[in-house]
Structures are given as C-alpha cells and as structure tokens.
Amino acid sequence: MPEPTKNDAKPAGAPPDAAADLFGNAVQPGAGDGSAGMPEHRLHGEVLRVVYAADDGEYAVIRLRDEKKIEHTLTGPLASVVEGQDVEVWGRWETHKEHGRQFRVQTCRAMPPTSEAGIRRYLASGILHGIGKVYADRIVDKFGERTLEVLERYSARLSEVPGLGKKRLAMIREGWKKNAEAREVHVYLQGLGIGTAYCHRIHQQYGAGTTEIVRQNPYRLASEVRGIGFATADRIAGNLGVEKDNPLRLQAGVGFVLEQLAEQYGHVCCPREFLLESAAKMLDVEIPAAQEGLRLALLNATAVAETIGGDEMIYPAALYAAEVELAESLTKLNQFKPWLPPPGALAFDPRLNAEQRQAVNQAFNARISIITGGPGVGKTTVVGQIVANAKQLRRNLLLAAPTGRAAKRMTETCGTEAKTIHRLLQWNPDGGTFVHNRDNPLKGDLLVVDETSMLDTELANHLFRAIPSRMHVVLVGDRDQLPSVGPGMVLHDLIASRQFPVTSLVTVYRQDAHSRIVTNAHLINQGQMPDLKPLPPNIKGDFYWIEQEDPERAVQTIARMIAERIPATFKFNPLADVQVLAPMHKGSCGAQALNELLQKTLNGAPAPDFRVGERLYRVGDRVMQVSNNYDKGVFNGELGRISKVDAGAKTFAVAYDIGEVEYGWHEADQVRLAYAVTVHKSQGSEFPVVVVPLLSQHYVMLQRNLVYTAMTRARKLLVMIGSKKALAIAVRNDRPASRHTRLAVRLQA
C-alpha cells in the first residue's frame, strides 16, 4: 500500500531519504505524485526575476543566475523567494513542450542576498512595506553590502538616508521587525527539512509559537496543517532527534495507520493484531513498541477498542461513535410500528411484476425497507409507484440521494424535488453542524433515498439521527456496485444483517434489439465475458469495444473519439454529454493524464484562465468538487463547469446543478479537472455517454464490481477501449477487498 501523505511537502535542504509505505515497502520521495524519485542535481545562485508566483505560496517560476553566471528557468515550490535572494535548490532537469529546458525544483533553501545588486533587487521586491525601487537604491547607496546588517542591528542609522522621513522610517523598522520572526521561523523549519511553501503554511497556522510547537510535538503538523502527512512530520521529528520508540511517535503512528486504513481501504475498524503488525512495519519498530503506541492512543481516546463478534477490533474514535450511533438509530426506528395504509388503498401499475409490487408494499408496511437490483430492472419504476401512492395517500414525502447528479435524476424521473442528503439535513456553517439532527428531526412521513451503495458510515449516521419516529425509510441501491468512497459499506451491512425487508429486482426491462449496455453489465456481474462482437456497419448500437493494449495509443484514440467520432456519428456534445471513467487516477492512461490531454483537445481555445501551481484552469473546463465544502454548500463528487474567471479579484466561479459557486484562486485545490474521473468518483452519477479505458496497466484495480459500476453509469452509449486480457482479469476477480465493519453484527445483536 503506497504511503498516502496528503500531498506531503518535499523537504528542503539535503535530498531526503526514501520513505516506507504502510507495509514496509520502500517508496522514494515523490512516488505517486508524478515526480521521478530523489533530486539528482543542485543549483546555487541569485534570483534575478520572479516570472510567476502562486498566491498559495506553493509554486513559482523564476529566473536564476548560477555561480557561473549562467541563467536558468526554475519551477516548483519557490513562491516564498523574492528577487535578489540567493537560493540553493535540488531537483532535476526536464524539457517542457512549450518553454524548453528548465529545472524542476523539489527542495529549496533560501538565503539573504550577498551582492550589492542582489540587495537592491531584494529590497525593491516589495518585501518591506514602504520601500520601493527608489528608496532601495538610496539605502543601498548609503550602506552597500552592509545594508542588511544595518537593518537588522543598527536600524536607527536609516535616518542617514536622504528623504527617509520619520513616518516611513518607522514603517520600515516595523516591517523588518515583523519579517524577522518569519525569517527566523523559516530558517528553523528549513533546517528541519521543510520546503519553503510549507514553512509559510506552518507559520500561518501557529504564528509566533511555531518554533516551540514544532519542537515539542512535530506530529501535530500531520493533523493540523493542510498538506502535511505523517511521513513529513516523521522526517521532521527525525531531524529533531526524536527516537523511533518515542511515545509521541508511536501514538501518532498508530493513529496514522488507522486513518489510512479508513481513507484508502474503507475500513471502519480493524483487528488488533493486524493493526499492530501494520503499525510496527510502518514505524520500523517491534510489536511491543506498537502495542505501547496503541495503549497511548486508547488512553488518550483517539482510538477505541471493542470486542464484538468474537474479535477485538480497534476503531478511530470518530468512526466508532458513528457506527454505534447508526446501529442504535436503525434499531430504534425499526422497532416502531409502521403506519399502514388502509386495505386496498395502494394502486399498482398492471405492468409491475411480483417483486416490484412487493417493493411498493414494503415501503408502506415497514419502517425501513430496501430495494436492490442492477441496471434496467425497474428500480426507477418502483420508486415512481411509491411516490405516486404517497401523494395519493397524502403522505409528506422526502426524496434524497448522496450526490447532486443522483438527486437531479431522481427529481426528473419522479416529478418531485429530490435533494442531496447534505442539503436535506441543511448544514449550518456558523455552528459547524447539520440543522436537522436528533433534537431537530426532519419533518415527513416517508423518505426515499436512492444510490445508497454510496452511503458511508458517517453520512448514514447523520441521516438516521435526523429520522423521526413516525417516518418510513426506503433505501434504493445496487448491492453489486463499488462500496462508498468513505469508510463503511452501509447498504451491504443492512442487507447482511437480515433485520430489514429486502426486495431484489432481477428481471431486466431496459433494453431493445440492439442494446447491449444492460445485458453486458449483467453478464459481467455474473462472471461472464460480455458480447464484444461488432455490430453490422449500418446499425448504430449503444455498446462498442475497441481492442487496444498500448496505453499511448489508447489515450490518443479516446481523445479523437470524443472530439470527432462520437459527435459526428451520434450527435452528442463532447463537453456536456461525454464522461471518461478511468480505473485509476495515475498512470499514462489514468484520469490525470487523460484530463491534461482532453483539456487541450476539447477546451483549448483562448479563454480567461489562471494557474495554481502547475495546474491550469480555463473558463469552460469540466471540474469536480473533491472535498466537502459545507460553507459553500457544494460537496465531494459534484460536477460542474468553470463559468467565470476574474483575474482582478483572483476568483473563479463554477456552475453546478445547484447554481453558481464562487471560489478564490487559493481554493482551487478543492476542484479537479473532470473530463476524466475515476470510477469510484463517478458513483451516483449517470451520463449520456461513457468511455472506459481498461488496460493491463490498471491491473491493481481490475475488479468485477469496478467494471460493472463503470458500465452502469452509461445511459445511451458505452465505449470501452482496452485489451480482452485486462477485461478477463476483471471479470474473474470477484473478490474485491472486503471492509472491516461491525455494523451488521451490531444490528443483529
């Protein structure tokens, strides 16, 4: 399991040592983020010009003159440096397609300028309020190479500079004093191997107390500073002389392993022995030391131990509380007597089969009921019948889904407004909580929740704590799809507990003579190879297989097909209707590489744009929100288009289904280009056209339920590009990694 480091900073100073992943495998710094191992080259020189600097302090393009008086272009985490400074950098040379040879910096150490010319540029760069080029020249004319020493130790002598009045003099002295703290903090942090961009971020977090906080407990950085993970905190601790068996390190390491098991693998808990073995490997200590770390985590209530179902399981404290409360809420609601409709009051479309009629009946005769089934089996028809009967019975009806797209689709098919679960519960940014909860439950008689395979433990807990005792709940989803992105597998556990009535719909209705999306999806779900035969040239189908094993050719084929062939043949809009679903984010045929190419191919015309680091955003780009932003009311997985870029205000806006949302440029890390997204991120959404690459390079993700989920996202046209070998591997792999939860056991108990 490659070590997830929350986009860990690359340390400054000497090139860092290799890290280890969660299970002890060597990982070079930068592995997984597109960099190529440890820095190979060093440059030292003076910053002549800052060509571009991101507001977030994490990326810049500069011109540097080295010790041999040769000028170079440098890119990377350099945004804290200013003109005139001396810098020492490590990185590697590369050739940019447009800008030629340049040096990509991985680590940087900034130093005060040493030459008189450098000091002039340094002071004129705006680093001190009150000094521009004119006053920089006057000060350096007076003090020469001793200028910085005068500012530091003899600032009263600035009165000797012609034209410096008392007000400006006080301004300069105060500015230098304030910068002194930042300079000292940066020097201290850089000495610990922290890159310049993260020095700025850490100082912003802790202010004047930065040095003492980092010295006392560097592991606080991993949980309190955005972008710094355990690996970086651990390297800092090592540079501070913290021993491997230090209690702070052991406790933080156990917490980190629990966190990653939840975030990467979806585990709500894990067996004690597995946790100890994983933590010991990650920390490079013996089992007794890992046991001490666990003891401290339990003592400080960051972890919880519980024996249930015969095994001792260890939970992160927040997930333990969520699972326990969710089980209690479900059990309590299930114990209330349902309100039953009068005999004969329910109406049924005569075309409904027996299972569909049963699902409608259970919605009105059970407190909690579940409807599951694959594509084309009539789940939407059943929900429509439930909605129609609820209206006929004058029941107060609520409709919800985990994502905006799923809610929009539900609204369109049912003729009644559906909301995302987050909006149904109404987030209160001032209080940092949902408006609807146990003390202020939702108002209504019947709640239907679609796409419940996406419900993770924490969101499900928030939902069910807001369900009043009178309400019936109908959960609709496909048990064979991928589990939720967040930890847990709520739908699976509810079905496995056998505490709630479940209707499994199996009869396929949604197909015609030339439709193969649904039939092929069901074949794959049953462990059979799909029908890949080409249709006759004069017939347009909805499923196409293109054999291609070479990743580079596959990527180029995808771009041409979306830009040219699909619009020309099927009249779909490539920007509005087509979605690429990739098994993985990384790799030459992963979502990241596809996004870079598709942005140029589909939205390359001149338009207002801006850069954040190396990422370019342009009006018209398809983007996805990749984290929950409760204040803005936009949540992980929601898709939109960039509608506006304001260079003056440094803001941009994204048009979502819910309306337009405005961001500052510094918030751009909340959105990601989404011409291509991973299959996991597509859950809960459907698209007119879906294109799926499936290659041997995706080997680690080739699972039956992943391919099945990708195929069932397509409504009108599905194109798969890859090798039959890769497809066969996925079809045979029906044992996706299971998740450790105890929700089903709690419900049975």
Side-chain angles (χ1 to χ4, degrees):
M1 168 177 159
E3 179 187 47
T5 57
K6 297 183 184 175
N7 298 320
D8 273 340
K10 307 296 187 296
D17 296 329
D21 71 12
L22 188 56
F23 297 111
N25 302 310
V27 178
Q28 297 293 348
D33 64 3
S35 58
M38 290 191 296
E40 298 177 357
H41 301 283
R42 169 191 171 276
L43 284 177
H44 177 270
E46 180 186 325
V47 178
L48 296 178
R49 184 162 60 95
V50 177
V51 180
Y52 167 81
D55 288 345
D56 59 9
E58 294 178 25
Y59 180 83
V61 178
I62 68 170
R63 291 290 291 173
L64 176 124
R65 182 167 57 204
D66 68 15
E67 296 153 309
K68 297 179 180 179
K69 308 302 181 185
I70 300 173
E71 293 188 16
H72 309 285
T73 298
L74 277 60
T75 67
L78 296 158
S80 296
V81 305
V82 297
E83 293 176 4
Q85 274 187 307
D86 285 6
V87 294
E88 188 175 22
V89 296
W90 287 265
R92 66 182 189 275
W93 292 102
E94 63 181 20
T95 301
H96 191 277
K97 291 180 181 179
E98 298 176 12
H99 305 297
R101 191 169 187 258
Q102 55 190 26
F103 191 83
R104 180 189 289 268
V105 174
Q106 288 182 266
T107 64
C108 169
R109 179 182 290 131
M111 295 160 283
T114 53
S115 69
E116 190 171 303
I119 294 171
R120 289 181 191 274
R121 280 192 290 271
Y122 180 67
L123 294 182
S125 68
I127 192 171
L128 288 180
H129 188 57
I131 297 182
K133 185 178 185 309
V134 172
Y135 284 103
D137 285 340
R138 290 182 185 179
I139 293 171
V140 178
D141 285 343
K142 177 66 180 177
F143 300 113
E145 293 183 357
R146 296 190 60 209
T147 296
L148 299 186
E149 180 187 3
V150 170
L151 284 167
E152 181 69 35
R153 301 174 60 185
Y154 312 108
S155 58
R157 291 195 60 191
L158 291 172
S159 60
E160 301 173 20
V161 177
L164 274 186
K166 290 183 178 180
K167 185 176 179 180
R168 188 178 298 275
L169 179 61
M171 189 186 304
I172 294 170
R173 293 175 71 176
E174 181 63 24
W176 187 261
K177 182 179 177 182
K178 287 182 178 179
N179 276 316
E181 176 194 296
R183 290 195 304 276
E184 289 174 8
V185 168
H186 279 231
V187 168
Y188 175 75
L189 295 178
Q190 287 179 347
L192 296 176
I194 302 175
T196 52
Y198 284 89
C199 291
H200 176 70
R201 189 176 293 179
I202 294 168
H203 186 223
Q204 277 189 321
Q205 176 74 21
Y206 299 124
T210 297
T211 301
E212 189 60 27
I213 288 171
V214 173
R215 184 182 294 118
Q216 287 184 357
N217 185 3
Y219 294 100
R220 284 182 60 178
L221 301 177
S223 58
E224 297 175 359
V225 179
R226 180 178 61 85
I228 292 186
F230 178 84
T232 294
D234 201 35
R235 286 196 291 270
I236 295 167
N239 290 334
L240 283 167
V242 175
E243 299 291 339
K244 284 184 178 181
D245 59 354
N246 183 287
L248 288 174
R249 180 175 188 265
L250 298 177
Q251 180 181 340
V254 167
F256 171 74
V257 172
L258 279 174
E259 176 185 310
Q260 298 313 306
L261 289 172
E263 289 184 3
Q264 286 208 339
Y265 295 105
H267 297 307
V268 176
C269 55
C270 72
R272 179 188 183 95
E273 294 307 314
F274 177 75
L275 172 63
L276 292 175
E277 291 173 6
S278 301
K281 285 183 179 180
M282 192 276 296
L283 292 166
D284 191 23
V285 297
E286 299 298 324
I287 292 293
Q291 289 173 329
E292 175 62 11
L294 176 57
R295 185 189 72 81
L296 292 169
L298 295 172
L299 181 66
N300 290 294
T302 58
V304 177
E306 183 182 53
T307 300
I308 183 170
D311 298 318
E312 184 178 20
M313 307 299 289
I314 311 298
Y315 289 77
L319 285 176
Y320 175 78
E323 185 179 273
V324 168
E325 186 179 10
L326 175 58
E328 291 173 351
S329 298
L330 288 162
T331 301
K332 183 176 181 180
L333 181 62
N334 206 36
Q335 289 171 346
F336 285 105
K337 289 183 179 181
W339 42 261
L340 303 176
L346 295 180
F348 297 95
D349 188 309
R351 293 170 293 181
L352 295 186
N353 63 30
E355 290 81 12
Q356 292 172 321
R357 293 172 66 92
Q358 174 184 301
V360 176
N361 264 314
Q362 287 177 347
F364 295 94
N365 288 276
R367 281 291 179 177
I368 301 173
S369 61
I370 299 170
I371 304 169
T372 186
V377 297
K379 295 192 299 293
T380 300
T381 301
V382 170
V383 171
Q385 285 283 287
I386 292 171
V387 170
N389 276 287
K391 291 179 178 178
Q392 180 66 28
L393 293 168
R394 297 187 178 180
R395 302 298 187 187
N396 189 353
L397 178 70
L398 300 176
L399 302 179
T403 67
R405 286 200 162 230
K408 182 180 180 182
R409 189 173 68 250
M410 204 176 184
T411 299
E412 292 169 348
T413 57
C414 295
T416 299
E417 183 188 13
K419 298 180 179 179
T420 64
I421 294 172
H422 290 92
R423 294 189 183 95
L424 180 73
L425 299 177
Q426 295 180 38
W427 180 256
N428 176 11
D430 294 331
T433 58
F434 285 109
V435 171
H436 292 292
N437 49 39
R438 197 172 299 281
D439 298 324
N440 181 30
L442 295 163
K443 293 177 173 59
D445 302 309
L446 176 64
L447 169 65
V448 182
V449 185
D450 199 7
E451 296 287 355
T452 50
S453 63
M454 294 185 65
L455 268 183
D456 61 57
T457 299
E458 292 186 299
L459 183 57
N461 180 44
H462 284 299
L463 175 63
F464 277 94
R465 68 156 55 130
I467 303 296
S469 59
R470 175 175 171 76
M471 187 175 284
H472 284 211
V473 179
V474 181
L475 302 175
V476 185
D478 186 345
R479 72 171 94 191
D480 295 317
Q481 285 187 20
L482 290 168
S484 56
V485 175
M489 45 182 188
V490 174
L491 179 62
H492 177 276
D493 285 346
L494 265 59
I495 294 173
S497 74
R498 300 187 178 184
Q499 302 301 302
F500 314 99
V502 178
T503 302
S504 296
L505 304 178
V506 294
T507 304
V508 177
Y509 291 97
R510 197 180 74 196
Q511 58 183 355
D512 59 38
H514 303 299
S515 172
R516 295 191 294 173
I517 294 176
V518 173
T519 53
N520 277 337
H522 282 280
L523 284 171
I524 281 182
N525 199 35
Q526 294 160 14
Q528 302 177 46
M529 285 291 285
D531 178 9
L532 305 180
K533 295 190 301 292
L535 292 170
N538 60 330
I539 293 177
K540 290 182 183 178
D542 65 355
F543 175 89
Y544 292 86
W545 172 266
I546 299 174
E547 184 73 19
Q548 181 57 259
E549 173 57 31
D550 181 76
E552 295 300 329
R553 290 184 178 179
V555 168
Q556 295 300 324
T557 300
I558 289 171
R560 286 196 304 271
M561 191 163 47
I562 294 174
E564 301 168 11
R565 294 168 61 185
I566 289 176
T569 305
F570 297 94
K571 309 306 179 186
F572 287 112
N573 183 320
L575 277 172
D577 299 330
V578 184
Q579 182 65 57
V580 179
L581 302 182
M584 299 170 64
H585 184 65
K586 298 292 186 180
S588 57
C589 196
Q592 180 173 300
L594 285 163
N595 271 319
E596 292 176 2
L597 177 60
L598 291 173
Q599 182 189 46
K600 294 176 183 176
T601 304
L602 302 177
N603 194 29
D609 60 23
F610 67 101
R611 284 188 178 273
V612 174
E614 297 183 19
R615 293 169 293 167
L616 174 69
Y617 296 94
R618 179 179 288 124
V619 166
D621 277 339
R622 175 184 280 185
V623 294
M624 173 181 281
Q625 176 80 15
V626 294
S627 61
N628 290 333
N629 189 320
Y630 294 98
D631 295 338
K632 295 182 185 297
V634 60
F635 303 100
N636 190 1
E638 297 203 29
L639 286 163
R641 297 269 296 278
I642 294 181
S643 55
K644 181 173 59 179
V645 170
D646 187 333
K650 295 188 176 180
T651 62
F652 68 102
V654 178
Y656 294 104
D657 291 335
I658 60 162
E660 197 171 67
V661 176
E662 187 170 283
Y663 301 81
W665 287 5
H666 66 284
E667 298 175 301
D669 60 348
Q670 296 181 30
V671 300
R672 181 181 294 163
L673 289 178
Y675 299 98
V677 300
T678 62
V679 179
H680 281 84
K681 284 289 190 181
S682 74
Q683 290 172 265
S685 297
E686 284 188 352
F687 310 94
V689 182
V690 168
V691 178
V692 182
L694 205 64
L695 305 170
S696 297
Q697 73 166 220
H698 302 134
Y699 181 81
V700 295
M701 294 301 294
L702 294 180
Q703 298 169 355
R704 185 185 299 176
N705 63 349
L706 181 135
V707 177
Y708 172 75
T709 300
M711 295 176 72
T712 55
R713 301 305 89 204
R715 286 205 309 269
K716 298 180 180 179
L717 177 63
L718 170 64
V719 181
M720 301 183 74
I721 300 175
S723 69
K724 294 186 181 71
K725 177 183 175 182
L727 178 60
I729 291 170
V731 171
R732 288 195 301 267
N733 183 10
D734 65 341
R735 296 186 301 276
S738 61
R739 294 184 168 188
H740 289 298
T741 82
R742 285 297 178 267
L743 179 59
V745 177
R746 293 183 192 282
L747 292 169
Q748 291 166 343

